[in-house]
Amino acid sequence: MKKKPIIISALLGIYFSLVFYVSINFPPIVSNLPLASVDARPQNTFSRFLDNVRCALDAGYGIEQTLTALLLTGFIYFTLTRLWPTDYTRKPTFYILGLLFGIVNTAGLCMYWTDSLPMFTSVSWLIGTLLLAIGWGGIFCILMSWLFWCFDHMKLFAITTASSDTAVPIKYWIQKHFWFFSFVIILLGWLPWIISYYPASMDNDVFHQFWSVLEYPNNHHPYFSSCVLVYCYKIGKWLVSENFGVFIYVLFRDVLLAIIYSKCIDLQKRMGFKPIIYYGFLIFYAFTPVWGAYAKHAFKDTFCAGLFCLYILSLIKILQQIKHSSPSYSQYLTHGLAALFLSLFRNNCIYVILPITICFTFHILLKKRTQIKGTLLVILCVSLYFGYNNFITTHLNVIPSESKEALSLVYQATARIARDHGNELTEEEIAGISAMFDYNRLSESYNPILSDPVKNDCLILSENRGLNAQSIYIQTWIKLFRKYPITYLESAIAQSYGYYSFVPNQPEQSGNWNSGMTIFDWIGCNSGYNESFSFHYINHFDDARQVLQAWAKVWDKIPVLSITNICAFYTWIIIALFYYLLTKKLIVDTLPLLAMGIMILTCIASPVNDCFRYYCSIAASFPAILLLLPSPRN
């Protein structure tokens, strides 16, 4: 055993274990822990910081922490001796990426624990948070070196085909009909949820969709997706009952999604991935509770997840086909329709589709001008989205979606200023805020991880004073940004850290029941929109529903398995794969990852922090982006 690596590994093992435990048990500046009572703690700033570290390790550096340090030491030693250095770890950008992760992750942890960025309050806090950031950056670099090794070895050297060995008939049949096998397994995995929750679980948003078609036509929830739900409901009601109508929608959607996800897995097999990879993702889609839980829910997000996966798959197939030959018009049409229907099922998706379509078009114009006709087909499909929206608002009198839906980060910053610096604001600044809000209620309405209370307090502006009031507010917002930049930064991170920082789970009811992986086990609406319907569960399945709900919550706590419900996990794998492809000079292949990145940005700008419901499109498409990995021969 080499002496130098073992010493370095031991020191890093202790350091990283300290980083883990301080981050997980980080005490707030004002702590209620018995050993952190205010009158018993040191008054000196740096001593107070060290006392916070002591409180984080309150259990003592005992057996649990020691075992963690020893395991980390062994893992780091194995990494340093077997995997270090590589072409990746020799690049300065590799460590810059690690430091970026460390800073971002530490900032999220600070906001989670203290609702502030304490590194800006004193030198001691700055040093402490830098040590945490460097520690997390080191952990990131160690893990990324293994991830890049996995990227290099996920595919076989030769593309495999179905085995001709007929000695094991079942295995031969599965390999030959792998797409159908995957389709059946996914549906079987979802079936307990679909049956137990017949007709479907339904929350406020689902009833709002009914209301936005049957009572008050509006595009707050995309009108097209609401119409699909309502027309399925009407058909089922005419045939059997209201329950059956919603069930038709759920069944139609889930069969379509199972087709898309099984196609994704089948492509992994056809493109030479090792069996452990595509069978692993088959289990991911079929048996991870979140997909079963969303398969039985009637909201638009489940549909959007599958359509986004289809969009990413179609984009990857076209990009790979262009390298070797010319994609068919049917492939371009599939991609264009995937883009169109994705936009029609969720309003924020057009912000993904537009820039990616522009980049794709420029690539065709510069490199593959013979493919311009196919690209025009894609552009035509995307253009239909705008034509459709114009038609429904002009001729069907559908109310457009509100602009405030995209301004969560802007409004949250104003509310945080009112809460933290209200006594410092001038009369002019208060008047500027009052142009858009009832200032007296703004501070009370502020919830760091949920913007709905603040958005709901936004004043309805008449046509006469709307533009002038908005102009006054924007000028005030910019002025206050210059005056309180740290508060604005804290507000933005508080509203979004769950999408990119590894923090403990939010309490179950956080974010108005939306933070984390909420499975939505109810069938009703607290806004009165369900009074005209008679939807109901089948009482005979009460026990099954309770078991499934409890199982989903247990999964959310099981080490390793629970990471499938953590948004930040997917975000950083996507970033790592983007970096990996850049090192391979596969610039054009990063387009699907850019689409995923923009989708993540829309989640960051969303009304709820750490909302897996918003993020599920990215998680569902995660297996597809691995198709971008080059063959080991390349």
Side-chain angles (χ1 to χ4, degrees), residues 432-457:
I433 295 173
S434 299
M436 289 290 287
F437 296 97
D438 181 348
Y439 180 80
N440 295 325
R441 298 195 316 179
L442 192 56
S443 176
E444 257 180 58
S445 299
Y446 179 64
N447 180 336
I449 68 168
L450 178 69
S451 69
D452 283 345
V454 171
K455 284 194 310 177
N456 292 338
D457 279 348

Side-chain angles (χ1 to χ4, degrees), residues 527-548:
S527 301
Y529 300 137
N530 58 341
E531 295 174 354
S532 303
F533 303 101
S534 58
F535 302 125
H536 60 276
Y537 287 142
I538 297 176
N539 293 334
H540 182 71
F541 295 131
D542 281 348
D543 290 340
R545 287 194 295 273
Q546 290 178 31
V547 169
L548 289 171

Side-chain angles (χ1 to χ4, degrees), residues 134-153:
I134 292 169
W136 279 112
I139 293 166
F140 179 87
C141 289
I142 294 288
L143 293 176
M144 284 305 101
S145 63
W146 280 103
L147 182 64
F148 291 160
W149 181 87
C150 290
F151 285 165
D152 286 337
H153 294 85

Side-chain angles (χ1 to χ4, degrees), residues 85-95:
T86 64
D87 290 340
Y88 309 112
T89 58
R90 290 189 180 97
K91 298 179 184 294
T93 49
F94 179 80
Y95 300 99

Side-chain angles (χ1 to χ4, degrees), residues 269-290:
K269 175 182 174 294
R270 292 175 182 275
M271 293 182 68
F273 280 82
K274 295 180 179 179
I276 192 173
I277 303 299
Y278 53 80
Y279 275 110
F281 282 119
L282 174 57
I283 294 170
F284 168 77
Y285 281 129
F287 301 112
T288 303
V290 66

Side-chain angles (χ1 to χ4, degrees), residues 382-450:
V382 174
S383 300
L384 288 176
Y385 166 80
F386 298 99
Y388 169 83
N389 273 348
N390 181 67
F391 173 79
I392 62 173
T393 54
T394 304
H395 299 284
L396 301 183
N397 298 318
V398 174
I399 307 299
S401 59
E402 309 93 327
S403 60
K404 68 179 183 180
E405 290 301 310
L407 297 173
S408 292
L409 294 179
V410 174
Y411 292 162
Q412 287 288 84
T414 302
R416 193 177 183 94
I417 289 290
R419 188 196 72 174
D420 295 353
H421 304 285
N423 59 344
E424 304 168 15
L425 298 180
T426 66
E427 290 185 7
E428 182 185 358
E429 290 165 344
I430 292 174
I433 295 173
S434 299
M436 289 290 287
F437 296 97
D438 181 348
Y439 180 80
N440 295 325
R441 298 195 316 179
L442 192 56
S443 176
E444 257 180 58
S445 299
Y446 179 64
N447 180 336
I449 68 168
L450 178 69

Side-chain angles (χ1 to χ4, degrees), residues 19 205 212 252 262 306 312 335 343 451 476 486 506 581 595 601 630:
V19 168
D205 281 1
S212 66
F252 163 69
S262 56
I312 295 295
H335 179 62
S343 303
S451 69
T476 305
I486 302 304
Q506 299 281 355
L581 293 178
L601 290 177

Side-chain angles (χ1 to χ4, degrees), residues 135-208:
W136 279 112
I139 293 166
F140 179 87
C141 289
I142 294 288
L143 293 176
M144 284 305 101
S145 63
W146 280 103
L147 182 64
F148 291 160
W149 181 87
C150 290
F151 285 165
D152 286 337
H153 294 85
M154 277 186 179
K155 287 187 176 181
L156 303 174
F157 282 91
I159 305 299
T160 57
T161 56
S163 173
S164 60
D165 182 11
T166 57
V168 186
I170 293 178
K171 183 178 179 181
Y172 172 74
W173 186 90
I174 289 173
Q175 290 296 308
K176 188 175 180 181
H177 304 91
F178 193 71
W179 172 84
F180 181 72
F181 171 76
S182 300
F183 171 76
V184 171
I185 294 298
I186 290 172
L187 279 183
L188 286 176
W190 294 350
L191 205 56
W193 295 90
I194 296 171
I195 293 174
S196 300
Y197 281 87
Y198 177 90
S201 58
M202 302 167 68
D203 66 338
N204 287 358
D205 281 1
V206 178
F207 285 97
H208 288 183

